[in-house]
Amino acid sequence: MEYVITLLLLVLLQAVLGFDNLLYISLESKRVAPEKQAYVRRLGIGLAVGFRIILLFVVVSLVENFQDPWFSLSFKGVAEGTFNLHSLIVLLGGVFILYTALKEIFHMIGDPHLGHGNQKPASVTKTVSLIVTMNVIFSFDSILSAMALAKNEKTGDPRLPLMIIAILIGGALMIWLADKVSAFLQKNRMYEVLGLFILFIVGIMLLTEGAHLAHLKIAGNEIVAMTKTTFYFVVGVLVLTDLVQTRYQRNLLAKQEAKLANRPS
């Protein structure tokens, strides 16, 4: 019974921490030709699951090496911190996510059709590579959290079989949900903007987490990582604001149409 509960908790962890990853996959896959998008999502997630299992063994074997310092900043009163491999990977992931979100937001502002129709479709290889790379970056936290959750209390070692099963179940759920999320965004294009701003918040979260891992201080103030609770609270506020704004716009349009209909000809 203990193994079943642990497995369920690991699957739940994969699902919760995989939300931002799933959003990125859905938005990134739209760059390729429409007939290849579902294939790209499935291939990207499938390869990412394989790399995640490999990464699991690497992290378990070399977890201390990821924490070894690589270099330090010692500009007193300006910037101070000690960076290791873990913090650098998370920071680079945050920078890339911010770049991707901002680029798409500015593209939407400059494109009156709010789409990718005027852009040349991206190659399948490039898009799948980006999906796999970002999935690996997102995997670090989930693997480290899973290691703590699945630790054998007697030996202190993580239960690798349970973690692998949870990763496979989480990957299957992501493949099942990816098409549904992408279809929803395609039918409700207004929520694509919301998705990009959520992705922007994900980038900020990764930056703060990487900076926190490096104990980075800017102007003497240590950067604190954004918690998952704060992240989901901000996302909830964004979603609620978007829903209220959409309802308000619909009411305004209905009133305007009613005025036009009642206007004497």
Side-chain angles (χ1 to χ4, degrees):
M1 188 63 182
E2 177 188 351
Y3 289 96
V4 175
I5 294 175
T6 303
L7 179 60
L8 291 175
L9 290 174
L10 288 172
V11 172
L12 180 62
L13 177 69
Q14 292 287 326
V16 172
L17 296 181
F19 166 75
D20 41 16
N21 194 5
L22 185 62
L23 180 61
Y24 175 82
I25 291 170
S26 299
L27 293 171
E28 190 66 43
S29 64
K30 294 180 64 179
R31 298 176 181 276
V32 302
E35 67 275 9
K36 297 180 180 179
Q37 290 177 7
Y39 167 76
V40 163
R41 287 190 290 270
R42 291 172 187 146
L43 178 61
I45 295 173
L47 289 174
V49 167
F51 277 106
R52 183 175 289 191
I53 293 174
I54 295 173
L55 181 64
L56 171 62
F57 284 99
V58 171
V59 171
V60 169
S61 303
L62 305 174
V63 63
E64 294 182 358
N65 293 341
F66 282 94
Q67 311 305 328
D68 291 340
W70 278 34
F71 66 91
S72 299
L73 294 177
S74 56
F75 301 102
K76 196 72 174 177
V78 179
E80 303 171 70
T82 302
F83 296 84
N84 53 32
L85 182 58
H86 186 188
S87 63
L88 289 173
I89 291 174
V90 175
L91 282 170
L92 289 175
V95 170
F96 183 78
I97 287 288
L98 281 177
Y99 167 76
T100 301
L102 286 173
K103 185 177 68 172
E104 289 301 309
I105 289 169
F106 284 123
H107 169 71
M108 283 186 165
I109 292 174
D111 185 356
H113 300 291
L114 297 181
H116 302 268
N118 298 330
Q119 290 183 326
K120 182 181 178 181
S123 70
V124 171
T125 303
K126 178 182 177 182
T127 305
V128 169
S129 299
L130 288 173
I131 289 174
V132 171
T133 301
M134 291 312 303
N135 192 288
V136 169
I137 291 172
F138 282 126
S139 297
F140 268 93
D141 282 344
S142 62
I143 287 177
L144 292 174
S145 300
M147 285 173 60
L149 190 62
K151 184 178 291 185
N152 189 318
E153 294 181 359
K154 295 181 179 180
T155 64
D157 298 324
R159 297 185 176 99
L160 288 178
L162 285 180
M163 296 173 70
I164 292 173
I165 294 172
I167 289 174
L168 292 174
I169 294 175
L173 288 173
M174 287 181 66
I175 290 175
W176 178 63
L177 288 172
D179 289 343
K180 298 182 181 299
V181 172
S182 297
F184 176 81
L185 292 176
Q186 189 66 32
K187 291 179 181 177
N188 302 273
R189 299 301 300 274
M190 65 185 76
Y191 293 116
E192 188 174 352
V193 178
L194 175 63
L196 288 172
F197 275 98
I198 292 176
L199 205 60
F200 182 84
I201 301 298
V202 170
I204 293 176
M205 182 179 66
L206 290 176
L207 283 180
T208 60
E209 182 180 343
H212 178 69
L213 289 170
H215 304 288
L216 184 62
K217 292 183 179 179
I218 303 294
N221 299 307
E222 185 170 353
I223 297 178
V224 180
M226 179 187 293
T227 64
K228 282 288 182 179
T229 303
T230 303
F231 169 72
Y232 287 118
F233 176 77
V234 173
V235 169
V237 171
L238 284 175
V239 172
L240 181 61
T241 302
D242 191 76
L243 291 174
V244 172
Q245 176 72 11
T246 302
R247 184 67 179 269
Y248 179 65
Q249 287 179 340
R250 287 176 179 171
N251 288 340
L252 286 179
L253 288 174
K255 289 179 180 179
Q256 290 175 356
E257 290 175 357
K259 286 182 180 180
L260 291 174
N262 295 328
R263 181 180 298 175
S265 55

